[in-house]
Amino acid sequence: MPIRHQGGSFVEASNYSVVREGDTIKTLSGAHAVVTYFESSVVVFEPNTQLEMNRLRSKSTGDIDAIVLQTSGQTWHVVQHQENSEVSYQVLTPTTIATVHGTSFQVRVSEGGATEVITRDGLVSTSGANSKDTVAVGPGESTSVAG
Protein backbone atom coordinates (compact mmCIF):
# COMPACT_ATOMS: atom_id res chain seq x y z
CA MET A 1 0.00 0.00 0.00
CA PRO A 2 1.63 3.26 -1.06
CA ILE A 3 1.39 6.20 1.33
CA ARG A 4 2.31 9.84 0.77
CA HIS A 5 3.05 11.89 3.85
CA GLN A 6 2.09 15.54 3.52
CA GLY A 7 4.43 17.26 1.05
CA GLY A 8 6.25 14.04 0.07
CA SER A 9 6.16 11.35 -2.59
CA PHE A 10 4.39 8.01 -2.46
CA VAL A 11 6.41 5.30 -0.69
CA GLU A 12 5.50 1.72 0.21
CA ALA A 13 3.92 1.51 3.65
CA SER A 14 4.71 -1.32 6.02
CA ASN A 15 2.57 -3.01 8.62
CA TYR A 16 1.98 -0.63 11.52
CA SER A 17 2.80 2.49 9.48
CA VAL A 18 1.42 5.61 11.14
CA VAL A 19 -1.07 7.66 9.12
CA ARG A 20 -1.44 11.32 10.01
CA GLU A 21 -3.55 14.29 9.01
CA GLY A 22 -2.55 15.35 5.48
CA ASP A 23 -1.40 11.86 4.40
CA THR A 24 -2.75 10.12 1.29
CA ILE A 25 -3.16 6.35 1.03
CA LYS A 26 -3.82 4.34 -2.10
CA THR A 27 -4.18 0.72 -3.01
CA LEU A 28 -3.00 -0.73 -6.28
CA SER A 29 -4.79 -3.22 -8.53
CA GLY A 30 -5.44 -6.45 -6.65
CA ALA A 31 -4.45 -4.97 -3.27
CA HIS A 32 -6.51 -4.38 -0.13
CA ALA A 33 -5.60 -2.38 2.97
CA VAL A 34 -7.00 -1.61 6.42
CA VAL A 35 -6.43 1.48 8.54
CA THR A 36 -7.43 1.31 12.20
CA TYR A 37 -7.85 4.67 13.87
CA PHE A 38 -6.71 5.45 17.42
CA GLU A 39 -10.23 4.94 18.88
CA SER A 40 -10.85 1.65 16.99
CA SER A 41 -12.83 2.90 13.98
CA VAL A 42 -11.72 1.20 10.75
CA VAL A 43 -11.58 1.96 7.03
CA VAL A 44 -11.02 -0.91 4.56
CA PHE A 45 -9.66 -0.10 1.11
CA GLU A 46 -10.62 -2.16 -1.94
CA PRO A 47 -8.20 -2.27 -4.95
CA ASN A 48 -7.54 0.96 -6.89
CA THR A 49 -8.70 3.28 -4.11
CA GLN A 50 -7.24 6.60 -3.00
CA LEU A 51 -8.10 8.44 0.19
CA GLU A 52 -6.59 11.55 1.81
CA MET A 53 -6.78 12.28 5.54
CA ASN A 54 -7.85 15.94 5.40
CA ARG A 55 -8.53 16.09 9.15
CA LEU A 56 -7.62 13.44 11.69
CA ARG A 57 -7.85 14.48 15.31
CA SER A 58 -8.94 13.26 18.70
CA LYS A 59 -11.55 15.28 20.58
CA SER A 60 -11.06 15.88 24.30
CA THR A 61 -13.50 13.00 24.90
CA GLY A 62 -11.26 10.61 22.91
CA ASP A 63 -13.78 10.46 20.05
CA ILE A 64 -12.59 10.74 16.46
CA ASP A 65 -12.83 13.99 14.49
CA ALA A 66 -12.06 13.12 10.86
CA ILE A 67 -12.66 14.34 7.33
CA VAL A 68 -11.38 12.06 4.57
CA LEU A 69 -11.36 12.76 0.83
CA GLN A 70 -11.94 9.69 -1.33
CA THR A 71 -11.14 10.37 -4.98
CA SER A 72 -11.40 6.85 -6.37
CA GLY A 73 -12.32 3.26 -5.59
CA GLN A 74 -14.33 1.66 -2.83
CA THR A 75 -14.03 1.82 0.96
CA TRP A 76 -15.84 0.30 3.92
CA HIS A 77 -16.02 2.38 7.10
CA VAL A 78 -16.94 1.21 10.59
CA VAL A 79 -17.13 4.24 12.87
CA GLN A 80 -17.15 3.47 16.59
CA HIS A 81 -19.24 5.50 18.97
CA GLN A 82 -20.48 5.39 22.50
CA GLU A 83 -23.79 6.73 23.71
CA ASN A 84 -23.53 10.53 24.08
CA SER A 85 -20.27 10.57 22.12
CA GLU A 86 -19.01 13.48 20.06
CA VAL A 87 -17.86 11.53 16.99
CA SER A 88 -17.43 13.64 13.86
CA TYR A 89 -16.64 11.66 10.69
CA GLN A 90 -17.11 12.80 7.09
CA VAL A 91 -16.24 11.25 3.76
CA LEU A 92 -15.91 13.74 0.91
CA THR A 93 -15.84 12.64 -2.72
CA PRO A 94 -15.78 14.70 -5.92
CA THR A 95 -19.62 14.72 -5.85
CA THR A 96 -20.78 14.06 -2.27
CA ILE A 97 -20.43 14.76 1.42
CA ALA A 98 -21.34 11.86 3.72
CA THR A 99 -21.56 12.61 7.46
CA VAL A 100 -21.90 9.85 10.05
CA HIS A 101 -22.12 9.48 13.80
CA GLY A 102 -21.30 5.86 14.56
CA THR A 103 -22.24 3.49 11.78
CA SER A 104 -20.95 1.14 9.12
CA PHE A 105 -21.18 2.12 5.48
CA GLN A 106 -19.58 1.78 2.07
CA VAL A 107 -18.50 4.48 -0.38
CA ARG A 108 -17.89 3.80 -4.09
CA VAL A 109 -16.44 6.42 -6.44
CA SER A 110 -16.61 5.49 -10.12
CA GLU A 111 -14.11 6.58 -12.79
CA GLY A 112 -16.65 9.16 -13.98
CA GLY A 113 -16.86 10.65 -10.49
CA ALA A 114 -20.30 9.29 -9.54
CA THR A 115 -20.58 8.28 -5.88
CA GLU A 116 -22.70 5.61 -4.22
CA VAL A 117 -23.16 5.49 -0.43
CA ILE A 118 -24.52 2.24 1.06
CA THR A 119 -25.40 2.08 4.77
CA ARG A 120 -25.18 -1.22 6.65
CA ASP A 121 -25.88 0.07 10.17
CA GLY A 122 -26.81 3.45 11.60
CA LEU A 123 -27.51 6.55 9.54
CA VAL A 124 -25.45 8.42 6.95
CA SER A 125 -26.48 11.97 6.01
CA THR A 126 -25.51 12.43 2.36
CA SER A 127 -25.62 15.51 0.17
CA GLY A 128 -24.23 16.56 -3.17
CA ALA A 129 -20.96 18.47 -2.92
CA ASN A 130 -22.69 21.61 -4.23
CA SER A 131 -26.14 21.04 -2.72
CA LYS A 132 -27.87 21.96 0.50
CA ASP A 133 -30.30 19.06 0.15
CA THR A 134 -29.48 16.13 2.44
CA VAL A 135 -30.67 12.54 2.17
CA ALA A 136 -30.69 10.29 5.25
CA VAL A 137 -29.47 6.84 4.17
CA GLY A 138 -30.58 4.21 6.67
CA PRO A 139 -29.61 0.53 7.15
CA GLY A 140 -29.90 -1.47 3.93
CA GLU A 141 -30.39 1.70 1.86
CA SER A 142 -28.17 3.43 -0.67
CA THR A 143 -28.03 6.67 -2.59
CA SER A 144 -26.10 7.75 -5.69
CA VAL A 145 -24.88 11.14 -6.85
CA ALA A 146 -23.94 11.49 -10.52
CA GLY A 147 -20.48 12.67 -11.53
Side-chain angles (χ1 to χ4, degrees), residues 1-6 10-11 19-26 45 50-54 69 71:
M1 168 180 86
I3 185 170
R4 179 179 60 215
H5 297 293
Q6 192 169 19
F10 277 104
V11 297
V19 177
R20 292 184 173 87
E21 185 173 289
D23 291 352
T24 300
I25 303 158
K26 67 179 179 179
F45 294 71
Q50 183 165 312
L51 189 134
E52 179 181 321
M53 300 292 173
N54 284 359
L69 171 62
T71 55

Side-chain angles (χ1 to χ4, degrees), residues 34-136:
V34 176
V35 171
T36 303
Y37 296 111
F38 52 86
E39 46 56 275
S40 299
S41 292
V42 175
V43 60
V44 178
F45 294 71
E46 298 290 331
N48 300 310
T49 298
Q50 183 165 312
L51 189 134
E52 179 181 321
M53 300 292 173
N54 284 359
R55 181 167 69 204
L56 183 57
R57 300 177 185 157
S58 175
K59 293 187 171 193
S60 62
T61 59
D63 293 316
I64 192 168
D65 180 12
I67 298 175
V68 299
L69 171 62
Q70 182 176 331
T71 55
S72 63
Q74 181 172 305
T75 54
W76 290 88
H77 304 259
V78 178
V79 181
Q80 300 296 322
H81 73 289
Q82 304 296 324
E83 198 169 317
N84 301 320
S85 70
E86 295 180 21
V87 169
S88 176
Y89 192 90
Q90 286 187 325
V91 179
L92 310 177
T93 74
T95 58
T96 62
I97 300 169
T99 304
V100 303
H101 297 284
T103 189
S104 61
F105 65 104
Q106 179 181 16
V107 177
R108 292 184 194 148
V109 179
S110 71
E111 287 185 28
T115 300
E116 181 178 21
V117 176
I118 303 165
T119 304
R120 299 292 177 216
D121 180 51
L123 188 67
V124 179
S125 299
T126 305
S127 64
N130 298 314
S131 173
K132 293 183 182 190
D133 296 330
T134 300
V135 175

